[in-house]
Amino acid sequence: MSNPFIDVPQRYKNRYLLMRHGHSQANAQRLIISSPERGLAAYGLSEQGEAQLKDLLARWQWPTPTHILHSDFLRTTETAQRVAARFGLELQPESRLRERHFGALEGESDQHYHDAWRHDERDPEHREYGVESVASVAARMQGVVASLESALSGETVLLVSHGDPLQIMLTALEGRLLSEHRQRESLLPASITLLG
């Protein structure tokens, strides 16, 4: 199945730093926390996540961001706040950068991610267990970049999001089948990928 088309150019007017949030309390407890009802106000950074960000910021090796947009979940907001404080930037919450919603798997062990991912391999449009489809995640994530490309030029934009949405977006932007998003190497907590 092909990717949904979003008008994102292959040559970008801006540079994008795609950042997964630091290690979170949900990671520590091995829980799927994907709903706004749980993720906006709870399950922020763990002690490990705080240490990851402190280390990352002490040895920053990427272009200096000029804008920061972030998922409004607590773990991504706290991650973005640490980077914003380091560079003296304003934060801009962006709900399209939220975690992929995992429906009935919400609050379950993170081992259940594999239940959804098995269906992803067969059909990126599926909504088994009430999960948000891979195609829907790809469209909203690419939409963020398309909006920024229309509004800005020559900027370095840090996008702070979550592992699954970032992997799906990278798969889409690489022109690969969305069903292959789990074939990419997993993005580690507090990791940064340079786009453009």
Side-chain angles (χ1 to χ4, degrees):
M1 182 166 284
S2 63
N3 293 335
F5 176 76
I6 301 287
D7 188 18
V8 178
Q10 290 306 305
R11 292 185 181 272
Y12 304 103
K13 294 191 294 186
N14 304 291
R15 279 188 295 197
Y16 297 94
L17 301 173
L18 309 181
M19 183 175 189
R20 183 180 172 192
H21 61 79
H23 189 270
S24 70
Q25 293 170 18
N27 297 139
Q29 296 175 41
R30 303 196 59 132
L31 294 176
I32 297 174
I33 302 298
S34 65
S35 71
E37 293 76 19
R38 291 184 183 198
L40 291 177
Y43 298 96
L45 293 174
S46 65
E47 287 185 16
Q48 181 180 341
E50 294 283 7
Q52 286 173 335
L53 288 168
K54 185 176 179 181
D55 182 58
L56 177 91
L57 293 169
R59 34 175 212 88
W60 188 266
Q61 55 185 310
W62 296 272
T64 301
T66 55
H67 298 271
I68 299 179
L69 282 73
H70 63 94
S71 157
D72 52 359
F73 276 40
L74 185 59
R75 56 194 183 259
T76 38
T77 299
E78 289 179 346
T79 298
Q81 286 171 339
R82 305 308 182 266
V83 181
R86 165 77 166 74
F87 294 109
L89 297 172
E90 296 287 322
L91 291 177
Q92 183 177 336
E94 172 53 77
S95 62
R96 290 178 292 176
L97 294 174
R98 283 180 177 176
E99 178 65 283
R100 178 185 184 187
H101 192 270
F102 279 88
L105 303 177
E106 173 70 17
E108 297 293 328
S109 161
D110 63 8
Q111 292 298 310
H112 289 287
Y113 280 128
H114 296 278
D115 297 339
W117 292 338
R118 277 192 292 275
H119 288 283
D120 293 351
E121 291 172 2
R122 293 190 293 273
D123 179 10
E125 303 272 357
H126 87 87
R127 296 183 181 275
E128 292 291 326
Y129 315 106
V131 304
E132 181 182 9
S133 74
V134 174
S136 174
V137 175
R140 66 175 167 87
M141 293 291 285
Q142 290 179 94
V144 174
V145 175
S147 297
L148 290 165
E149 286 292 287
S150 295
L152 302 172
S153 183
E155 302 293 331
T156 299
V157 184
L158 178 71
L159 302 178
V160 184
S161 188
H162 306 261
D164 232 38
L166 288 171
Q167 298 227 166
I168 291 167
M169 179 168 72
L170 286 166
T171 301
L173 293 176
E174 290 164 357
R176 295 173 59 179
L177 294 175
L178 293 177
S179 57
E180 298 175 356
H181 76 95
R182 292 309 304 173
Q183 293 177 24
R184 295 188 92 264
E185 186 175 347
S186 293
L187 298 173
L188 298 174
S191 64
I192 294 178
T193 303
L194 179 62
L195 179 66

